[in-house]
Amino acid sequence: MQMDKSPPTIIYILLFLATLLYYIFSKKHTKKHKLTPKLPPGSMGWPYLGETLQLYYKDPNIFFSDKLKRYGEIFKTHILGCPCVMLGGPEAARFVLVTNADLFKPTYPKSKEKMIGPSALFFHQGQYHSQIRRLVVNSLSPQSIKRFIPGIQALVISTISSWASSPHPINTFQQMKKFSFEVGILAIFGELEREKKEELKKNYCIVDKGYNSFPTNLPGTAYHKALMARRRLSQILEEIISERKEKKLLDNDLLGHLLNFKNEDGKTLSDDQIADNIIGILFAAQDTTASALTWIVKYLTDHPKLLQAVKSEQKETYLANEKGNKGLTWTQTRSMPLTYKVILESLRMASIVSFTFREAVVDVVYNGYLIPKGWKVMPLFRNIHHNPEFFDEPQNFDPYRFEVAPKPNTFLPFGTGAHSCPGNELAKLEILILIHHLVNELRWEVVGPQDTVEYSPFPVPHKGLRARFWREPNTKEN
Ligand code: HEM
């Protein structure tokens, strides 16, 4: 009998099944692999440097719009030693800042955190942030800031009088910085002794100069000087705080709110926590508002017909107030519709905070793309404000476009979500009051070239917009 040497059929069947299983499994595996979200498109640039030079030495707007054209609304890059994902659309900004805000924490360079003070609210997320934020929001709500109108008006009158009497052209941005600092002091402390105010101002200016300098902590450097001035600021603030505590003054200003705070366990804020928040708020308030004011002066100068229309709107109120002899009321500041639209359009055009930074706290998938844990995430407000899909002919300055409300999430000059700007009403109020007096009482002309933009880091017209101011005939000198 001849032996059958071929394997039994069962072996064939088993082999077939094994192959089939392997095939199915490996297919499944490959499929799973394929489903793993990929990183967004984009370039990571040079090792370590990434694309930092391209961003910082070019107009950042050109950098962003080139990338958006090339890769679409989400792209990756590498800036200042950090991998980043940049997001240029309104839905993405909402995803990061509103609906999934807990997955993205605020992030700042350590050197800046040290300069302002680590307890400032905007470095935090969660309970501490929301507790402090509530205090700030309450003390800067429309209801609370109404009572600052006479104080802001007095500051405006003395500020613009000094411009009219200056024999030289002034640097508009620097002057607006002085003004917005004073308004910040008023909102935080109410009335403050002159001597204390001067000390605060002197040291704050040194901190401000060092804030954007290279962080080398060696004697003589701007950064070192700023750190020393920051220490002195803490001492001055401690003195102010202890005086307030001694006098048991329960004032309703921001300092009062911070001093009266108790959490659910009855714990109050430490002096350091209060000082860090005060300095943080001064920082958040000063350059932003000053940049907005400077751009408004520039846009009004560039559009004489519009300036004339704003003048007529403001003149009515001025005459009703006996040429400024009676103070502005809250209701009057609420009925300046054209001036208000000029402010909104200036905020859109200039997009002072052109983007913000967050950091992913876990791996996040957005629109099929992976944003890995630890990567920086940047919603690009300016690109949303300059997208023709949302703002027709975005390069034209046209306040009347705001007669129709912008589409949701497309107009974000004050950000959105958990960290949106609590000072927006105060900023708009001080701008309205300044424009009211400026257009009624002064004339001006801009001096020198005007076409370039400087970043400090907020956008400012060339050399801070040098301008010469005169008093309008028949207006009150102060
Ligand atoms: C035109 C003027 C201003 C502009 C354009 C502006 C813009 C912004 C933006 C875009 C944010 C959000 C940043 C982010 O999400 O990372 C913000 C936050 C903030 N702003 Fe303003 N701001 C202005 C004036 C002010 C003023 C006058 C104050 C206070 C008196 C202020 C206090 C703050 C604070 C404390 C935060 C942080 C809020 C938080 O983290 O919860 N800002 N601002």
Side-chain angles (χ1 to χ4, degrees), residues 32-187:
K32 193 173 161 203
H33 211 76
K34 265 196 189 153
L35 275 182
T36 306
K38 53 183 187 302
L39 287 170
S43 146
M44 302 302 268
W46 294 87
Y48 189 75
L49 272 180
E51 297 192 300
T52 311
L53 300 180
Q54 287 95 314
L55 176 65
Y56 281 81
Y57 291 100
K58 224 182 178 183
D59 177 346
N61 306 313
I62 296 178
F63 176 85
F64 296 140
S65 53
D66 283 355
K67 293 279 184 184
L68 288 163
K69 253 184 235 148
R70 198 152 156 200
Y71 301 116
E73 282 190 349
I74 171 165
F75 60 90
K76 64 172 183 291
T77 178
H78 200 270
I79 305 291
L80 292 171
C82 308
C84 301
V85 172
M86 295 189 176
L87 303 158
E91 292 79 22
R94 187 172 154 74
F95 179 86
V96 172
L97 301 173
V98 185
T99 46
N100 291 277
D102 53 329
L103 306 181
F104 300 95
K105 63 174 185 187
T107 169
Y108 290 80
K110 276 277 163 270
S111 58
K112 306 231 181 274
E113 211 176 293
K114 200 164 160 188
M115 190 73 75
I116 286 179
S119 299
L121 76 156
F122 41 73
F123 297 134
H124 294 264
Q125 233 186 343
Q127 202 189 21
Y128 175 77
H129 169 257
S130 53
Q131 284 171 337
I132 305 289
R133 184 177 163 89
R134 204 168 309 132
L135 303 181
V136 180
V137 167
N138 283 340
S139 66
L140 298 177
S141 69
Q143 203 48 40
S144 310
I145 60 175
K146 278 179 186 179
R147 68 205 154 92
F148 297 139
I149 293 178
I152 299 176
Q153 227 180 335
L155 286 171
V156 167
I157 291 169
S158 83
T159 305
I160 67 165
S161 295
S162 76
W163 302 349
S165 54
S166 166
H168 311 292
I170 60 158
N171 177 320
T172 311
F173 179 61
Q174 289 306 326
Q175 291 295 317
M176 296 299 190
K177 276 186 75 157
K178 284 189 190 164
F179 167 69
S180 56
F181 180 82
E182 293 274 357
V183 176
I185 293 282
L186 179 71

Side-chain angles (χ1 to χ4, degrees), residues 121-122 129 133 284-285 288-289 353 356 358 413-415 418-419 421-423 427:
L121 76 156
F122 41 73
H129 169 257
R133 184 177 163 89
T288 46
T289 314
V353 179
T356 184
R358 295 289 187 272
F414 295 105
H419 290 272
C421 182

Side-chain angles (χ1 to χ4, degrees), residues 430-451:
E430 61 185 281
I431 295 173
L432 283 168
I433 299 177
L434 192 133
I435 298 177
H436 172 74
H437 286 279
L438 180 66
V439 301
N440 275 310
E441 293 168 12
L442 300 192
R443 277 189 212 164
W444 68 90
E445 83 179 357
V446 171
V447 179
Q450 300 169 37
D451 290 338

Side-chain angles (χ1 to χ4, degrees), residues 97 106 108 121-124 129 133 136 140 180 183-184 187-188 254 277 280-293 347 351-353 355-358 381 412-424 426-428 430-431 458:
L97 301 173
Y108 290 80
L121 76 156
F122 41 73
F123 297 134
H124 294 264
H129 169 257
R133 184 177 163 89
V136 180
L140 298 177
S180 56
V183 176
I188 294 169
L254 182 53
N277 277 297
I281 290 163
L282 282 173
F283 254 90
Q286 194 192 21
D287 281 22
T288 46
T289 314
S291 168
L293 279 163
L347 290 171
S351 291
I352 288 142
V353 179
F355 54 83
T356 184
F357 275 106
R358 295 289 187 272
F381 300 136
L412 307 169
F414 295 105
T416 180
H419 290 272
S420 68
C421 182
N424 76 90
L426 178 64
K428 288 184 280 193
E430 61 185 281
I431 295 173
F458 300 108

Side-chain angles (χ1 to χ4, degrees), residues 258-299:
L258 292 165
L259 282 170
N260 295 333
F261 171 79
K262 273 196 184 112
N263 70 8
E264 53 283 2
D265 307 323
K267 225 176 143 216
T268 55
L269 294 171
S270 70
D271 287 2
D272 276 345
Q273 284 173 322
I274 295 179
D276 292 2
N277 277 297
I278 289 177
I279 292 167
I281 290 163
L282 282 173
F283 254 90
Q286 194 192 21
D287 281 22
T288 46
T289 314
S291 168
L293 279 163
T294 309
W295 281 107
I296 291 170
V297 173
K298 164 130 179 73
Y299 295 135

Side-chain angles (χ1 to χ4, degrees), residues 210-398:
Y211 183 74
N212 287 313
S213 65
F214 196 78
T216 327
N217 193 5
L218 288 174
T221 59
Y223 185 73
H224 180 80
K225 285 182 195 161
L227 285 178
M228 304 311 265
R230 174 64 183 82
R231 246 184 251 168
R232 290 192 293 276
L233 275 182
S234 278
Q235 286 158 4
I236 304 163
L237 288 171
E238 239 170 70
E239 284 167 24
I240 298 173
I241 292 168
S242 71
E243 266 173 35
R244 275 265 186 119
K245 281 182 184 165
E246 252 169 51
K247 290 185 193 157
K248 298 215 167 14
L249 289 176
L250 298 173
D251 289 6
N252 204 14
D253 49 39
L254 182 53
L255 176 57
H257 278 81
L258 292 165
L259 282 170
N260 295 333
F261 171 79
K262 273 196 184 112
N263 70 8
E264 53 283 2
D265 307 323
K267 225 176 143 216
T268 55
L269 294 171
S270 70
D271 287 2
D272 276 345
Q273 284 173 322
I274 295 179
D276 292 2
N277 277 297
I278 289 177
I279 292 167
I281 290 163
L282 282 173
F283 254 90
Q286 194 192 21
D287 281 22
T288 46
T289 314
S291 168
L293 279 163
T294 309
W295 281 107
I296 291 170
V297 173
K298 164 130 179 73
Y299 295 135
L300 287 176
T301 316
D302 292 348
H303 299 86
K305 265 196 190 158
L306 181 67
L307 173 59
Q308 223 31 63
V310 170
K311 274 189 177 193
S312 335
E313 176 172 280
Q314 291 298 339
K315 191 150 196 175
E316 255 180 57
T317 317
Y318 194 67
L319 295 178
N321 286 353
E322 297 164 9
K323 290 195 170 180
N325 282 322
K326 275 167 50 186
L328 276 170
T329 63
W330 175 254
T331 315
Q332 284 174 330
T333 64
R334 300 279 112 175
S335 39
M336 299 175 170
L338 177 60
T339 315
Y340 191 73
K341 287 196 267 284
V342 168
I343 297 175
L344 300 185
E345 177 66 345
S346 304
L347 290 171
R348 183 195 69 79
M349 276 290 274
S351 291
I352 288 142
V353 179
S354 38
F355 54 83
T356 184
F357 275 106
R358 295 289 187 272
E359 184 183 309
V361 292
V362 288
D363 280 356
V364 182
V365 178
Y366 175 72
N367 261 7
Y369 289 117
L370 174 70
I371 305 175
K373 177 180 173 186
W375 280 40
K376 308 288 177 199
V377 180
M378 295 165 64
L380 305 176
F381 300 136
R382 174 183 281 271
N383 293 85
I384 302 173
H385 296 163
H386 285 251
N387 186 335
E389 215 185 294
F390 312 128
F391 297 96
D392 198 30
E393 301 194 42
Q395 296 317 319
N396 285 354
F397 185 83
D398 176 14

